[in-house]
Amino acid sequence: MSLWRHLTRGLRGLVRPGQQATDIDDEVQHYFEQATAAHRERGLSEAEARRAARLELGSPHTAQERVRSYGWENSVRILLSDLRFAARQLRRNPGFTVVSVLTLALGIGASTAIFSAIDPVLFRPLPYPHPGRILMVWSTWQGARSEIAFGTWRELSQRSRSFDSTAIFEPWQPAMTGATEPRRLDGQSVSPAFFRVLGIAPSLGRDFRSSDEGPHAPRVVILSDSLWRHLFAGDPAILGRAVRLDGDDYIVIGVMPRGFEDVLSPSTELWTPDTYDATRITREFNSWEWGNHLRMVARLRPGVTRASAIQELVAIARTPWLQYPRPRWASLDRGLIVDALQQDIAHTVRPALLAVFAAVIIVLAIACVNVVNLLLARGAQRSGEFAVRGALGASSRRILRQLVTESLLLSLLGGALGIVAAIAGVRAIVALSPAGMPRLDAIAFDPPAFLFAFALTVIIGLSAGVVPALHIAHSNLQSGLQHVSRRIAGTHLWTRRVLVVAEIALALVLLVSASLLLHSMRRLLAVNPGFRPSHLLTLQVVTSGHRFDNSAADPDGGDRIRRRFFEQALEAVRRVPGVENAAFTSLLPLSDDPPVVGQYGAQFEDQDSQSGYNVFRYAVSPGYCQTMGIPLLSGRLLDERDRAGAPQAALISASLARHHFGDRNPIGSRLHVGPRDRPWYTVVGVVGNVRQTSLAIDQEDAVYLSTEQTWFADDSLSFVIRARANAAALVPAVKSAIWSEDSEQPIVRVVTMDRLMAITEAQRRFVLILFEAFGLVALLLAAVGLYGVLSGSMAERTREIGVRMALGASRGDILTLALRDGMRLTAFGLMIGLCGALAASRGIASLLFGISALDPASWLSMLALLTAVAALACWVPAWRGASVDPATTLRAE
Amino acid sequence: MNEQTTDVIQGTLDLLILKTLSLEPMHGFGIARRVEQVSRGVFKVNPGSLLTALQRLERAGWLDSAWRNTENSRRARFYNLTRSGRKQLELETADWTRRASAVARLLRQDA
């Protein structure tokens, strides 16, 4: 009831301020008239009575003021008038306003954009029920995560008690035929509990059952919502229908919900149950069930902690049981790596993202410091105004309130513009982001990002207003009045100096980091990949269909057909005009071919059964090394002689030759690659090293075999095509040449080698671009800050300079004085910045390549750059100050 | 205006206003004069405080106000006690009596 009255009366006062004011004035006036009348009744004259009433009651204006200031609507009224005043102030100083708003917009926009990018990856819980209970389980190889085998998963899932459910999954890329063009789909082959581990069920149809698993189960698929909509127009009658994948009919049993996100492999369009067979887990270890190519995900039982689950798994790994045999390559003697799903998917990008976030926070800090600096400068200019207000009765709280309103208005303008910038920035980040970036689809300008931006804006607005206000409160108002005549040199500059030192320090931290990254990138791009990447087109051909199946009657029949298809396709490609040379390989350098699939054990004749090398196995066509431009160092290359049935020939890489033979000649020595029960390969030549995984990784032991002489025919091969001119222009002709041999075989990953190299280094480039941008902004802002402080200081010292010059100081003396002042600030900033940069360079150490974190060139160049820019920023106001005519200044007093 | 006197009044101003208005509707100056007369000049009421207090009490729902013309045809605002104002007066009177007698007992004990 009374709340209602407060609300309505207050609103009435706001809507009709005139009415309320008149009422109050009338009432007060009536009161005074009555008092006067009372005195008159006691016999005083009219004038005397009025005087007595005034004496007794004080000023009617004071009374009116008091009554008016009652009620919540009055605070609103003050706020509105403060806002009006602030807006007027900002309009009156367009230069100041534009610079501060743009600076704030830049800081808020950049940090909000980066926040939106990292929030879903690092902070926000994954879109599953109880996401904290989902764990990833990996085997360990060379200290890093590595895939596990079906046999290992069976042992872990049967022996452990910590999990509700566990699942394995691996990529499955079936070719869908029956449509106009054969199309390769991105799928996952999963164990039936996969979706139960994630905690999401299909929105249409049913989930996988254990009876769907295994080699003899009927073939079924679950589709993603987007595949269902694109290919089948969202038709609910799709359930029970068959789609033709790799020459087989698969029955659609379900469709996943629209918002479902498979963070484990974001591009997945469909899922099928795996076809592993538990009965083939034998002690011979020669079945697919013992290949290490599966990832494992598990959901904790409620109430079981992650730590105890990890403990249990580690204990299982350490104590093999007789009924669960383990081969040498799945012995788990190096232990397991177990990590929460969220950490696991982000572990490769986390250092880069944190570095970028730290960088953007530094930019934001510099932006805020600059705006505070501008506000302080303005506060100093306006000290006269505040003194007058104080003298007229404004309390210091009232002045503080007005100043904070002004800075809040400023930051709100900056924040609004910043949000616009952030929306554009988020798009740019998504476009720029490296291939391995998880949860890319979840990156958007969303409510958490908006909240982040809003919170930043308010915090900045409040703090940026309070600092100058405290300053004014400290220097008492009296001196402000005197200040108007500019006799006293500014003491308020002290705070601004500290702020400028901080700016320079922060800018140095960013610049040194950016410089280290830039030098790393240069080193990286200067790395010789081991082949000539220019004019090279690459594409992958995936064979699919039953005509390539080996049958019991003809165990090599399918392989023969597969090899013939690839050779005919290669011949067709070579005939395309503009093609200088072409070849194929099972493993394409610098591509996303998983390294673990291309690696095999190699053992030379003089090695015992326990030793050997992990080598990359390249099954290639004769002419591969010529096409790629991989140099022959000794012996001969593979050629037409190395056919099926001929003596088995192999090329080895220079690094493998050096590792095993040192200075001895490897030509003619014999080795096994892969299975030991096959004839020996004889080394016929040594070729140059090639970077396989990335330019940064020098893991180069490799063996090249002819596709006709390997122990199995690879079902997908990468074609490398050297063009006479523009490689990308050959794409349509090459595709139709391959499809002229068989139009049912999908062609994927069509990309030039130059582009492939850029993609490989995308993560570094992403971080580098952002750091360079932030570094430049920081440099600019720091220079502006320094310039502002020095200009202010020179303006305040005009009189001092005049006196000095009148007493005989030369212009050079004044210039030196001012420059020394500015450079002293710079030097302080650089010293503090060096400490910060030292810490920062440690933080980004994992992103560096080929240089130490203390690389002198990177450090010195940035120190020099910052010093030069600072000197320039000092020189301009110093020169202006020194150009003052002493007579003018002194006369002006 | 004596600050200390005002302070004394401020704590009990609401009670004094409610009590005064329980007899008949009055305008601001009337209330002030009645309080002054009845207290024999002990309480002097400041117009700013009084008029603010009247607004507050009105918003709390204890008073009603209406603009009326006085005998010399001036616009004046008259206040009168509402039903809930009467209840509030009873409450505050009881409260005041309790406090005052407690203070009085303490003072007697001391003497």
Side-chain angles (χ1 to χ4, degrees):
Chain A
M1 175 68 184
S2 94
L3 191 70
W4 174 245
R5 260 175 223 253
H6 269 285
L7 205 65
T8 48
R9 299 280 160 105
L11 278 178
R12 202 180 302 158
L14 279 180
V15 176
R16 287 188 305 178
Q19 181 61 46
Q20 202 186 30
T22 320
D23 283 358
I24 290 170
D25 289 355
D26 279 2
E27 195 172 8
V28 170
Q29 206 185 341
H30 179 250
Y31 192 104
F32 276 79
E33 276 168 18
Q34 293 285 316
T36 312
H39 284 295
R40 231 180 11 239
E41 275 168 28
R42 293 213 330 261
L44 296 181
S45 76
E46 175 69 28
E48 280 170 333
R50 198 169 293 149
R51 207 176 110 73
R54 280 294 291 266
L55 269 178
E56 194 180 24
L57 304 176
S59 153
H61 295 294
T62 320
Q64 278 167 9
E65 276 299 316
R66 261 197 82 180
V67 181
R68 263 185 221 165
S69 64
Y70 172 76
W72 61 267
E73 71 271 21
N74 190 51
S75 315
V76 176
R77 211 178 289 133
I78 292 178
L79 177 70
L80 287 177
S81 84
D82 275 353
L83 272 178
R84 263 196 304 275
F85 183 77
R88 222 164 36 231
Q89 285 285 334
L90 296 184
R91 253 207 317 274
R92 202 178 298 156
N93 295 283
F96 162 81
T97 308
V98 168
V99 170
S100 333
V101 167
L102 285 184
T103 308
L104 284 175
L106 188 78
I108 294 172
S111 45
T112 305
I114 297 293
F115 174 81
S116 346
I118 70 167
D119 175 49
V121 184
L122 297 187
F123 306 131
R124 202 179 321 153
L126 296 174
Y128 307 123
H130 303 290
R133 289 194 193 147
I134 309 177
L135 302 182
M136 290 290 288
V137 181
W138 300 86
S139 178
T140 316
W141 190 67
Q142 292 186 344
R145 293 161 161 80
S146 102
E147 279 83 353
I148 64 168
F150 182 77
T152 308
W153 169 66
R154 201 186 58 138
E155 178 183 347
L156 291 178
S157 61
Q158 289 184 355
R159 286 180 61 185
S160 67
R161 292 284 159 268
S162 305
F163 302 105
D164 252 354
S165 45
T166 67
I168 38 122
F169 57 101
E170 66 180 324
W172 168 61
Q173 296 177 314
M176 191 171 76
T177 47
T180 49
E181 212 175 70
R183 184 179 154 173
R184 189 161 79 156
L185 298 175
D186 261 325
Q188 292 284 321
S189 161
V190 304
S191 56
F194 181 74
F195 292 118
R196 283 198 293 283
V197 171
L198 295 183
I200 309 279
S203 55
L204 198 66
R206 64 167 178 92
D207 199 350
F208 294 130
R209 292 194 282 254
S210 50
S211 59
D212 294 328
E213 192 186 22
H216 311 298
R219 296 172 194 273
V220 295
V221 281
I222 291 179
L223 307 179
S224 76
D225 180 82
S226 72
L227 186 71
W228 175 54
R229 278 173 206 283
H230 285 132
L231 246 45
F232 306 103
D235 179 8
I238 186 71
L239 293 182
R241 275 202 347 225
V243 286
R244 196 144 187 92
L245 301 169
D246 282 345
D248 282 314
D249 281 339
Y250 283 71
I251 307 296
V252 178
I253 59 162
V255 177
M256 290 308 286
R258 178 164 224 162
F260 173 67
E261 196 189 332
D262 185 353
V263 300
L264 297 158
S265 41
S267 55
T268 307
E269 301 170 287
L270 75 174
W271 297 263
T272 193
D274 70 81
T275 53
Y276 289 103
D277 187 353
T279 62
R280 287 197 306 240
I281 303 179
T282 60
R283 279 173 201 284
E284 267 75 69
F285 304 127
N286 52 7
S287 62
W288 282 113
E289 280 68 21
W290 283 113
N292 286 330
H293 26 67
L294 301 172
R295 288 192 278 163
M296 173 174 168
V297 62
R299 178 175 278 273
L300 286 177
R301 209 182 277 283
V304 177
T305 65
R306 201 178 302 163
S308 68
I310 292 175
Q311 221 167 18
E312 188 194 20
L313 286 176
V314 167
I316 292 173
R318 216 177 281 145
T319 51
W321 283 359
L322 211 58
Q323 63 267 46
Y324 294 107
R326 297 175 186 175
R328 182 184 55 80
W329 58 89
S331 65
L332 304 183
D333 55 357
R334 299 281 157 79
L336 296 164
I337 293 179
V338 185
D339 207 348
L341 180 58
Q342 178 140 26
Q343 268 80 49
D344 192 83
I345 57 169
H347 82 276
T348 51
V349 292
R350 175 187 295 270
L353 292 184
L354 287 180
V356 168
F357 192 54
V360 85
I361 293 299
I362 291 182
V363 170
L364 179 69
I366 296 179
C368 291
V369 165
N370 242 13
V371 171
V372 169
N373 241 338
L374 285 171
L375 283 169
L376 274 174
R378 248 167 59 82
Q381 285 164 16
R382 289 168 65 186
S383 59
E385 173 198 330
F386 295 124
V388 171
R389 282 165 169 264
L392 289 179
S395 65
S396 59
R397 254 187 70 183
R398 186 72 186 70
I399 292 180
L400 177 83
R401 198 165 153 178
Q402 190 216 314
L403 276 172
V404 172
T405 310
E406 278 186 45
S407 67
L408 261 180
L409 182 65
L410 205 59
S411 75
L412 282 176
L413 287 174
L417 208 58
I419 284 175
V420 175
I423 292 171
V426 168
R427 291 216 188 104
I429 288 174
V430 171
L432 261 178
S433 64
M437 183 85 170
R439 302 206 68 198
L440 204 55
D441 294 339
I443 295 176
F445 186 82
D446 46 10
F450 178 80
L451 262 179
F452 178 81
F454 187 72
L456 269 187
T457 304
V458 171
I459 291 169
I460 291 170
L462 289 179
S463 46
V466 166
V467 175
L470 286 182
H471 236 271
I472 287 159
H474 268 298
S475 58
N476 68 43
L477 295 167
Q478 204 82 47
S479 80
L481 272 177
Q482 289 162 3
H483 212 116
V484 175
S485 71
R486 297 206 173 221
R487 282 226 186 84
I488 301 154
T491 46
H492 69 275
L493 273 172
W494 188 81
T495 319
R496 300 189 58 197
R497 282 161 183 271
V498 172
L499 291 177
V500 163
V501 167
E503 264 185 321
I504 291 173
L506 289 173
L508 185 68
V509 172
L510 268 188
L511 285 173
V512 168
S513 309
S515 171
L516 285 170
L517 291 171
L518 181 69
H519 280 91
S520 297
M521 194 69 179
R522 283 221 190 108
R523 294 275 167 109
L524 200 59
L525 293 181
V527 165
N528 178 8
F531 57 87
R532 283 184 291 121
S534 57
H535 299 295
L536 211 51
L537 177 68
T538 77
L539 49 85
Q540 195 179 25
V541 179
V542 190
T543 51
S544 84
H546 287 300
R547 69 191 189 96
F548 301 119
D549 288 349
N550 290 326
S551 63
D554 185 4
D556 286 332
D559 283 0
R560 261 202 321 279
I561 295 170
R562 204 187 292 273
R563 287 186 173 115
R564 195 176 321 133
F565 161 70
F566 277 123
E567 271 161 29
Q568 284 167 349
L570 183 61
E571 278 311 311
V573 168
R574 283 194 176 131
R575 283 195 298 270
V576 171
V579 171
E580 187 183 304
N581 211 342
F584 53 67
T585 172
S586 59
L587 194 61
L588 183 67
L590 301 183
S591 70
D592 56 0
D593 285 337
V596 68
V597 172
Q599 267 185 333
Y600 289 86
Q603 202 170 33
F604 287 94
E605 209 171 358
D606 55 357
Q607 284 181 304
D608 60 56
S609 64
Q610 286 309 304
S611 39
Y613 300 93
N614 281 317
V615 300
F616 289 112
R617 161 193 170 273
Y618 296 90
V620 300
S621 63
Y624 170 73
C625 290
Q626 292 95 319
T627 308
M628 286 288 277
I630 301 170
L632 175 69
L633 302 180
S634 67
R636 66 166 176 94
L637 292 174
L638 297 175
D639 56 30
E640 302 304 329
R641 276 173 284 169
D642 305 309
R643 307 203 66 87
Q648 302 217 80
L651 301 176
I652 61 174
S653 68
S655 80
L656 182 60
R658 202 191 57 238
H659 279 147
H660 189 66
F661 296 99
D663 293 334
R664 287 180 293 133
N665 181 10
I667 309 289
S669 58
R670 300 198 298 172
L671 76 162
H672 280 308
V673 182
R676 309 269 145 87
D677 53 357
R678 310 262 314 176
W680 294 98
Y681 288 101
T682 306
V683 176
V684 297
V686 179
V687 293
N689 291 329
V690 169
R691 300 266 158 147
Q692 171 59 39
T693 321
S694 104
L695 287 177
I697 298 176
D698 58 351
Q699 201 183 350
E700 293 166 324
D701 290 349
V703 173
Y704 296 81
L705 312 170
S706 160
T707 43
E708 299 212 8
Q709 294 186 340
T710 66
W711 63 99
F712 71 98
D714 294 83
D715 58 1
S716 65
L717 291 177
S718 287
F719 282 59
V720 290
I721 299 144
R722 187 163 298 279
R724 291 208 166 79
N726 184 1
L730 289 177
V731 173
V734 167
K735 270 188 168 177
S736 61
I738 294 170
W739 279 332
S740 72
E741 297 301 323
D742 183 343
S743 63
E744 297 238 308
Q745 307 307 323
I747 298 173
V748 295
R749 203 177 63 200
V750 185
V751 60
T752 63
M753 186 50 88
D754 286 328
R755 177 93 192 97
L756 209 52
M757 289 177 78
I759 295 171
T760 324
E761 305 314 327
Q763 188 184 327
R764 274 201 174 77
R765 196 180 293 270
F766 174 67
V767 178
L768 175 65
I769 289 174
L770 291 175
F771 263 81
E772 275 179 344
F774 294 160
L776 274 181
V777 168
L779 182 66
L780 190 72
L781 290 179
V784 168
L786 189 61
Y787 171 85
V789 166
L790 230 61
S791 316
S793 147
M794 291 313 272
E796 302 241 330
R797 289 165 76 178
T798 328
R799 187 170 185 274
E800 178 199 326
I801 292 168
V803 172
R804 277 174 189 265
M805 288 181 99
L807 290 178
S810 72
R811 222 166 132 173
D813 292 338
I814 303 296
L815 203 61
T816 322
L817 182 81
L819 274 181
R820 200 192 296 144
D821 188 33
M823 293 319 284
R824 203 167 45 216
L825 293 181
T826 311
F828 270 131
L830 291 183
M831 274 189 312
I832 298 169
L834 281 179
C835 304
L838 210 59
S841 64
R842 292 253 167 81
I844 58 167
S846 67
L847 301 171
L848 300 183
F849 172 81
I851 57 173
S852 94
L854 296 175
D855 177 54
S858 310
W859 286 73
L860 290 179
S861 60
M862 286 305 125
L863 273 176
L865 175 68
L866 194 50
T867 311
V869 171
L872 190 69
C874 294
W875 194 83
V876 176
W879 176 257
R880 205 184 297 145
S883 313
V884 159
D885 178 4
T888 332
T889 4
L890 293 179
R891 211 173 295 132
E893 284 293 310
Chain B
M1 167 178 83
N2 188 331
E3 290 282 339
Q4 272 179 330
T5 331
T6 327
D7 273 356
V8 174
I9 295 175
Q10 212 126 50
T12 54
L13 186 58
D14 290 4
L15 176 62
L16 295 179
I17 293 172
L18 292 176
K19 178 69 194 167
T20 311
L21 286 178
S22 68
L23 310 173
E24 55 173 334
M26 260 181 237
H27 53 62
F29 181 73
I31 299 170
R33 193 163 56 178
R34 174 69 58 82
V35 168
E36 238 176 275
Q37 282 171 352
V38 174
S39 72
R40 297 198 189 115
V42 172
F43 295 145
K44 276 205 192 297
V45 186
N46 168 283
S49 316
L50 177 72
L51 296 181
T52 312
L54 286 171
Q55 286 214 20
R56 189 176 61 241
L57 295 179
E58 193 190 353
R59 284 203 188 175
W62 299 329
L63 304 183
D64 263 345
S65 77
W67 288 92
R68 274 189 236 155
N69 283 334
T70 57
E71 52 278 19
N72 45 13
S73 69
R74 279 283 293 137
R75 231 163 66 96
R77 193 177 199 172
F78 280 79
Y79 295 89
N80 90 58
L81 210 56
T82 62
R83 191 191 308 236
S84 68
R86 226 165 267 286
K87 259 185 222 140
Q88 182 65 19
L89 173 62
E90 278 166 29
L91 273 176
E92 289 203 13
T93 313
D95 190 50
W96 172 257
T97 322
R98 204 165 46 81
R99 282 165 195 269
S101 56
V103 173
R105 271 199 305 278
L106 273 169
L107 290 177
R108 259 202 308 281
Q109 223 172 31
D110 249 26

